Amino acid sequence: MSTIIKLLPYQIPHAWEAIKLAAVRSQEVSPSALPEVCQRLLHELLSDTVQCFLSLDDDRTILQIALTQVQVHRITGQKELVVTGLYSFRLMQDNDALECMTLFRQVAQSQGCSRIVAGSRNARLWKLYENLGFREASRNYVYLMEGSNGQQQV
C-alpha cells in the first residue's frame, strides 16, 4: 500500500532531483532543451501553477511522481486537469494506476474541472490510460525546423 501526497511549493526543492528526472524521462526532453524545460518547470512548481504528487511506500521511498496542471481549454473555455507527467520508478501495478486515477478525479473535482487530459509518447502509458477509462482524443505531429525530420532535404 502506498501513500500519495501533494508537495507544497516550499517542499519542491527537497525532491527536485527526483521530480526533474521524472519530468525529463516522462516527457522525453531533448538534451538541448533541458536547461530551459527544467527552469520553467521549477518556476511553475514553486508558483503552484504545476502540482506535484508523490506516491510513497511505507519507507517513504518515492514510487511514482505525477505532475498536473489546471488549464482552460482554448476553444471550449472549460477547465481541465492536464496530467503533464506521470513517471514510475518501478513497474506500475493495476492498484497503483487506480490510486493515481482516484487522485486525478479528486483533484479535478476540487478544481471544478470538466475533464482530465493525459498524454504521453509512451505506449505503456497509452494502455494504462485506456484501461482507466480515457479515450484517444487526438494525435499531435511535430515538424522540427532544424534538422532533417527523417526526410530528404528538397
Side-chain angles (χ1 to χ4, degrees):
M1 182 75 176
S2 62
T3 302
I4 299 177
I5 62 168
K6 177 186 185 262
L7 290 184
L8 299 173
Y10 74 87
Q11 295 171 310
I12 296 298
H14 301 292
W16 173 240
E17 290 304 316
I19 296 166
K20 181 171 63 170
L21 175 72
V24 167
R25 288 193 176 165
S26 69
Q27 298 172 13
E28 299 181 18
V29 178
S30 69
S32 63
L34 196 58
E36 183 180 335
V37 168
C38 289
Q39 182 179 12
R40 187 176 329 113
L41 175 61
L42 182 58
H43 178 267
E44 291 172 333
L45 287 163
L46 293 173
S47 64
D48 204 31
T49 55
V50 168
Q51 296 73 43
C52 179
F53 297 90
L54 302 181
S55 174
L56 306 170
D57 68 9
D58 293 336
D59 297 325
R60 301 203 45 88
T61 301
I62 300 172
L63 302 175
Q64 286 97 24
I65 295 180
L67 301 173
T68 64
Q69 185 173 34
V70 175
Q71 296 179 355
V72 176
H73 191 275
R74 61 188 173 98
I75 296 173
T76 66
Q78 294 181 323
K79 287 171 72 173
E80 51 192 25
L81 180 70
V82 180
V83 180
T84 60
L86 180 59
Y87 186 79
S88 184
F89 292 95
R90 64 176 177 139
L91 187 62
M92 282 185 90
Q93 302 300 318
D94 290 342
N95 62 323
D96 298 324
L98 290 173
E99 286 179 359
C100 284
M101 190 60 195
T102 299
L103 168 76
F104 297 152
R105 278 199 294 266
Q106 290 170 347
V107 172
Q109 258 183 339
S110 73
Q111 296 296 315
C113 297
S114 61
R115 64 187 194 161
I116 302 169
V117 178
S120 176
R121 292 177 56 179
N122 182 317
R124 175 149 167 66
L125 276 179
W126 299 342
K127 191 54 107 178
L128 181 138
Y129 291 138
E130 288 172 359
N131 289 342
L132 292 172
F134 286 77
R135 63 176 179 77
E136 185 176 322
S138 67
R139 293 187 186 201
N140 293 317
Y141 297 87
V142 175
Y143 184 89
L144 301 175
M145 296 304 292
E146 296 178 9
S148 68
N149 284 297
Q151 305 289 318
Q152 291 184 338
Q153 297 293 336
V154 260

